[in-house]
Amino acid sequence: MLRMLWIVPALPLLGFLVLVLGGARLSNRTVAYVGTGLAGVAAAAAIAVSATFMAAPPEGHAFTQVLWTWFQVGGFAPQLALYLDPLSVVMMTVVAVVGFLILLYSTEFMRGEEGYARFFAYMNLFVGAMLLLVLADDLLFLLIGWEGVGLSSYLLIGFWYRDSANGAAARKAFIVTRVGDTLLLVGLLVIFRGLGSLNIQETMGLAQQHWQPGSGVAVAAALLILGGAVGKSAQLPLQTWLPDAMAGPTPVSALIHAATMVTAGVYLVARAHVLFDLAGPAKTAVAVIGAATLMYGALSALAQRDIKRVLAHSTISQIGYMFLALGVGAWSAAIFHFMTHAFFKALLFLAAGLVIKAMGGEHDILKMGGLYRSLRPVFWVFLIGAASLSAVPLVTAGFYSKDFILGSVLSSGGGGVWLWAFGVVGALLTSLYTFRLIFLVFFGKEKKAPSLVGFGKASWAPVGILAALAIVGGFVELPPKWGGVSLFSDFLSPALAAPEVEPGGFAVSVAVQLIVAIASLAGIYISYLFFARASGRVRRRTDRPALAALSRLALAGWGFDWIYQLVFVRPFTWLTRTNKDDVIDSAFTAIAWSSRQASGLLSRTQTGKLRYYAAVAALGVLVFVALGVFR
């Protein structure tokens, strides 16, 4: 069965080709079958391959399938090969399964939209590119998938291109992530120059042999790779594109946030963990960026009014948790949170799509309210996703993955109490903004009656499956004091080493789990006080000018867009306007003008008079004679 690995990325890419080349001639029903059917077979193949891998692991817990050699120049011969190990098994399965569920949901959500076939073509390309990225055996091959998800996100964010704002959001995502992509490309050049290879496993082994821990070249390569990861995963300071990416259809948002694009950076750092272990400063930078970003995203989410932008900032924050785990060497914890986050964030976006549909396209949560009574099934699945995002203790997957991260941060040698404190405060804020969403949308007075449209099986089946996974998905890894199940980390251990844990003390006590649980529940209770039954005194305190100004600042993304406009965009546009006639072209224009003038001068010597020509010839002879005499 492992030999069938190539089918997993090939089928979504085949779906893209079929729909691009023939989608205009197919009915919407056929488009839906092709667009979801091939992705569904790919998901089934991913599950079958993963099951085979787990039942009978290959030698070395890794399997490589060489498709062909791309090119050969001297001793450099990069191969298009797929690499399967425990890390890529988890990534492949989550991407394929969650991607299929979102595509299935899209068949109903996008019904009646212009460009139905185009939408499914782009979505299949997105899934296929992400699968290539996580299965690539070579960094050059990985770069193809990396750029493929960038292209797909541009096409899907700007899917409704007739609205200029959507086109602007797509261009912003493309340009901002290109900054990180450029850093990544330079990083690959540094690695190739220093080690002579781009094969991932070979490169990591050579790095251990030839680069000393803390060496300048190792730190430089790791920081450049981190730059690429920061751009794709929307971490500080390249996070500004992700909230604007909500301009795309809701299934696109679910796919970007849950299974593709933003998780690519997490995978890249985890895959290059050997390099980051050698580059201590770069590894510390990963943790600091993660801690800062999780706070940024949580505080920003508290101020948002658009239901999808709340979830977008939530994604920025949750990816920050993954970076925090990566930065302290808790590689398995980061991937565990990636998996649970894929389940509950996809669920939240799809449930938000049902709310938006029922509200006639309304996104503003302050114009909603009281939907619990009329959209009760939607409320329950949204509540499950919200509870998992908020890490409600014992019963949600999000609690166990977040607890795994925070426990690792506090107990590992690369962590510390300050990073752990940021994570705990972030957990409280997460519950606060998540249940703010619940209370404003589903409780209180009904401000606008929803359209009680019927949601079919294509909508409810994916939502129901994701709701179940958002609950049970965490039971594969339980804390030592709460059951001691380590199935997930044990499975990943051949690919990702466990962090160095300081034995004994408070860091490994049950009190740490209790603090995380209390922070989660406290956030829910505070949210209830402020947004469900706020008294007049609470309203007066929250209406203070200072808090209002802070809210406006958070709503504006804390000024990052303003700074980028001031420092980069405006100078660039001024330069392009100033240079509209192109200074470089002026030099070539001057050469052409000089040639014309010289030609005009020389043409005047062509008089047609023999005496003039003879005089010029004689003068030339005299000049040459003089040169010979006086030399």
Side-chain angles (χ1 to χ4, degrees):
M1 180 56 78
L2 295 181
R3 294 287 175 187
M4 304 306 292
L5 177 62
W6 65 273
I7 288 179
V8 179
L11 288 178
L13 295 175
L14 176 62
F16 163 72
L17 289 175
V18 170
L19 294 175
V20 161
L21 298 176
R25 295 185 291 274
L26 300 176
S27 67
N28 283 356
R29 185 182 183 88
T30 305
V31 166
Y33 279 128
V34 172
T36 58
L38 291 174
V41 175
I47 294 171
V49 169
S50 299
T52 302
F53 186 96
M54 289 185 283
E59 184 179 354
H61 287 83
F63 170 75
T64 302
Q65 185 175 39
V66 179
L67 303 179
W68 62 82
T69 299
W70 192 0
F71 60 84
Q72 187 167 357
V73 179
F76 182 50
Q79 293 179 324
L80 296 184
L82 305 178
Y83 181 78
L84 194 68
D85 70 344
L87 174 58
S88 50
V89 164
V90 173
M91 298 294 295
M92 172 190 70
T93 307
V94 172
V95 170
V97 172
V98 175
F100 165 66
L101 293 175
I102 293 171
L103 280 164
L104 179 60
Y105 173 94
S106 302
T107 58
E108 187 169 290
F109 187 89
M110 295 299 293
R111 187 175 297 158
E113 294 285 351
E114 182 183 0
Y116 193 74
R118 178 167 55 90
F119 174 83
F120 280 96
Y122 294 164
M123 291 284 276
N124 272 265
L125 176 62
F126 211 163
V127 174
M130 188 65 187
L131 288 169
L132 285 181
L133 191 158
V134 301
L135 290 172
D137 183 46
D138 188 279
L139 287 170
L140 206 55
F141 193 16
L142 181 147
L143 191 62
I144 295 175
W146 187 273
E147 296 299 340
V149 296
L151 171 63
S152 305
S153 67
Y154 167 77
L155 295 172
L156 286 164
I157 293 168
F159 177 76
W160 288 316
Y161 60 88
R162 298 186 189 279
D163 186 341
S164 60
N166 297 340
R171 290 191 299 273
K172 182 177 180 180
F174 193 79
I175 292 168
V176 173
T177 55
R178 289 292 77 70
V179 175
D181 294 356
T182 303
L183 295 175
L184 173 60
L185 183 57
V186 176
L188 298 190
L189 294 175
V190 169
I191 291 172
F192 180 71
R193 178 68 182 271
L195 302 175
S197 174
L198 286 176
N199 179 276
I200 297 174
Q201 304 309 312
E202 183 180 353
T203 296
M204 295 300 109
L206 290 172
Q208 285 181 310
Q209 295 175 22
H210 298 292
W211 290 346
Q212 295 297 317
S215 67
V217 65
V219 172
L223 286 174
L224 288 166
I225 288 177
L226 174 60
V230 162
K232 270 291 189 288
S233 292
Q235 299 292 281
L236 289 168
L238 299 179
Q239 81 290 351
T240 58
W241 66 270
L242 190 58
D244 289 350
M246 298 304 95
T250 299
V252 174
S253 304
L255 194 57
I256 289 176
H257 290 253
T260 62
M261 191 69 171
V262 296
T263 58
V266 176
Y267 169 76
L268 180 63
V269 175
R271 178 56 78 194
H273 69 278
V274 173
L275 178 59
F276 280 89
D277 280 334
L278 292 173
K283 193 175 175 182
T284 301
V286 176
V288 172
I289 288 172
T293 305
L294 73 88
M295 291 296 294
Y296 165 90
L299 290 170
S300 298
L302 273 171
Q304 304 303 311
R305 295 179 52 159
D306 186 314
I307 187 171
K308 287 173 63 177
R309 290 180 77 93
V310 174
L311 298 177
H313 283 94
S314 168
T315 297
I316 293 173
S317 181
Q318 297 306 303
I319 299 293
Y321 273 103
M322 298 177 209
F323 269 67
L324 176 60
L326 294 170
V328 300
W331 316 108
S332 296
I335 301 304
F336 185 37
H337 196 55
F338 151 77
M339 182 183 75
T340 61
H341 177 263
F343 298 151
F344 64 69
K345 189 52 63 68
L347 171 62
L348 284 169
F349 268 108
L350 299 188
L354 298 179
V355 171
I356 292 168
K357 276 277 189 182
M359 297 298 291
E362 181 61 68
H363 286 232
D364 191 341
I365 59 176
L366 299 185
K367 296 181 180 178
M368 301 178 188
L371 298 183
Y372 166 74
R373 291 177 288 275
S374 50
L375 297 177
R376 192 162 298 183
V378 178
F379 162 75
W380 284 112
V381 293
F382 203 104
L383 181 63
I384 291 171
S388 194
L389 171 58
S390 302
V392 171
L394 300 180
V395 294
T396 64
F399 169 73
Y400 293 109
S401 60
K402 193 170 292 184
D403 173 75
F404 193 5
I405 289 175
L406 294 178
S408 299
V409 169
L410 191 58
S411 61
S412 67
V417 67
W418 285 108
L419 291 175
W420 175 78
F422 270 100
V424 172
V425 174
L428 185 147
L429 292 174
T430 300
S431 297
L432 184 57
Y433 71 69
T434 303
F435 275 82
R436 168 182 177 260
L437 199 59
I438 291 286
F439 293 130
L440 291 180
V441 172
F442 292 100
F443 292 94
K445 183 179 179 182
E446 188 177 275
K447 300 171 185 176
K448 180 181 177 182
S451 172
L452 298 178
V453 294
F455 300 117
K457 293 180 181 178
S459 294
W460 282 116
V463 169
I465 293 171
L466 289 168
L469 291 173
I471 295 174
V472 304
F475 293 111
V476 294
E477 189 75 25
L478 301 180
K481 306 289 185 181
W482 299 36
V485 177
S486 57
L487 295 175
F488 191 84
S489 55
D490 288 346
F491 174 69
L492 283 178
S493 59
L496 299 174
E500 297 180 3
V501 177
E502 298 178 355
F506 172 73
V508 294
S509 67
V510 71
V512 175
Q513 284 86 32
L514 290 176
I515 290 173
V516 177
I518 291 170
S520 171
L521 296 175
I524 296 173
Y525 180 66
I526 295 170
S527 183
Y528 170 74
L529 293 179
F530 274 80
F531 304 110
R533 49 177 306 183
S535 64
R537 188 192 314 178
V538 170
R539 290 194 183 96
R540 285 192 296 272
R541 288 182 178 178
T542 55
D543 287 341
R544 289 178 178 177
L547 284 177
L550 194 63
S551 178
R552 289 193 297 271
L553 183 60
L555 197 59
W558 303 96
F560 275 89
D561 278 322
W562 179 82
I563 293 171
Y564 291 157
Q565 285 283 334
L566 183 66
V567 176
F568 298 108
V569 178
R570 290 180 185 174
F572 180 77
T573 54
W574 173 85
L575 183 62
T576 56
R577 284 194 299 267
T578 303
N579 191 35
K580 62 182 179 181
D581 294 325
D582 200 334
V583 173
I584 303 299
D585 270 357
S586 299
F588 293 102
T589 303
I591 293 172
W593 178 86
S594 301
S595 298
R596 287 195 300 271
Q597 296 303 311
S599 175
L601 290 173
L602 291 173
S603 67
R604 293 178 183 177
T605 65
Q606 306 300 311
T607 63
K609 297 178 180 179
L610 184 59
R611 286 178 297 174
Y612 176 78
Y613 295 155
V616 171
L619 179 62
V621 171
L622 290 174
V623 170
F624 281 108
V625 170
L627 290 173
V629 172
F630 296 106
R631 184 177 57 179

